[in-house]
Amino acid sequence: MLRSRELWRRNRQGSLWSPSWWPSDLAPLFWPALALFLAALLGSALVLLLRVWPSAPDPAAPAAPAAVVQSAPEPQQSSEPMSDPQVAQAPALVEEPPVQPIEPIEPSEPSDADASDLEPEGFEGPYAPDPLLELVQRPEADGLLVQAEGVADQSLLILQVRPAFPALTPQEQQRRAEVWQLWANQLGYEHLELRDSRSGLIARDALVGEGMIVLSESPST
């Protein structure tokens, strides 16, 4: 349920993946449109399958009687007179082989290669894991991260932290910021920003050199 809500929220924000040719202002409509297209395609395939499916013969229906061919009686050639002129040779019965019912042809199931043609390029399936969601849910984050948002054109990863982060000591804030910077680099992001619930900037990567610059201060005791 939580994952469904998260995907729905990210879809409304337009942060889910969409093809490069899809307009960015219509990004929230890409996945609903794709789902409707696949549903319509599946419905058309089922209707076509029902139309071409041959009806099987009813096993309870009586079979057609075999045709009986009667041959004309041949005169009996014998030197002895027939004792009874009323006795005639029984006609020969020729039975045709029974008609075999036609078995319906079962439609072949589409192969994996055909099914892959229906998916757009870069589509990893509805159950593909979200790397940004997995980053937020890592046990090493200790629940200090709320959400992650990537800005692809700037190679920037924005992490929203909980109010407990500014309450840490400056040394602990610096350590965790550098660990999260390493995670961002592993996902292919060159820059990292830490923001609070009001989108205020708390920390960012150094413009000169390496490491993180933490702008917040721990509250005085």
Side-chain angles (χ1 to χ4, degrees):
M1 180 62 70
L2 294 178
R3 184 175 178 83
S4 301
R5 292 180 178 177
E6 178 66 17
L7 292 177
W8 179 256
R9 182 189 61 78
R10 293 190 61 222
N11 182 63
R12 288 186 303 170
Q13 295 177 352
S15 60
L16 289 179
W17 177 91
S18 60
S20 58
W21 49 265
W22 188 266
S24 59
D25 55 342
L26 298 180
L29 300 179
F30 174 72
W31 288 107
L34 179 61
L36 291 177
F37 172 74
L38 294 180
L41 187 62
L42 179 60
S44 301
L46 291 178
V47 172
L48 181 60
L49 182 62
L50 293 177
R51 289 184 177 178
V52 301
W53 189 284
S55 58
D58 189 3
V68 179
V69 179
Q70 297 182 358
S71 60
E74 297 180 357
Q76 183 177 4
Q77 297 179 0
S78 177
S79 59
E80 298 180 355
M82 298 177 60
S83 59
D84 189 356
Q86 300 296 331
V87 178
Q89 184 178 2
L93 301 179
V94 179
E95 296 183 358
E96 294 183 356
V99 179
Q100 298 292 336
I102 300 177
E103 298 181 356
I105 302 176
E106 298 182 356
S108 59
E109 297 181 356
S111 60
D112 296 339
D114 297 336
S116 61
D117 296 339
L118 300 177
E119 298 179 353
E121 183 179 357
F123 182 72
E124 300 181 357
Y127 301 105
D130 188 349
L132 297 182
L133 183 60
E134 288 184 346
L135 184 145
V136 173
Q137 296 177 351
R138 286 188 183 183
E140 296 85 352
D142 294 333
L144 294 175
L145 299 179
V146 179
Q147 66 176 4
E149 179 181 358
V151 184
D153 55 350
Q154 301 179 12
S155 188
L156 171 64
L157 178 62
I158 301 176
L159 297 179
Q160 180 180 348
V161 298
R162 297 187 182 276
F165 178 81
L168 300 175
T169 62
Q171 294 79 7
E172 184 65 16
Q173 293 181 23
Q174 184 70 31
R175 186 188 68 82
R176 290 186 179 272
E178 293 177 353
V179 171
W180 296 338
Q181 183 185 28
L182 178 61
W183 293 357
N185 294 336
Q186 292 174 352
L187 294 179
Y189 294 95
E190 298 179 0
H191 305 287
L192 173 65
E193 290 184 0
L194 303 182
R195 296 181 178 272
D196 56 15
S197 58
R198 299 184 300 274
S199 299
L201 184 63
I202 294 179
R204 59 166 301 164
D205 58 303
L207 299 179
V208 179
E210 299 179 353
M212 292 289 295
I213 298 177
V214 179
L215 305 179
S216 64
E217 297 181 357
S218 60
S220 59
T221 58

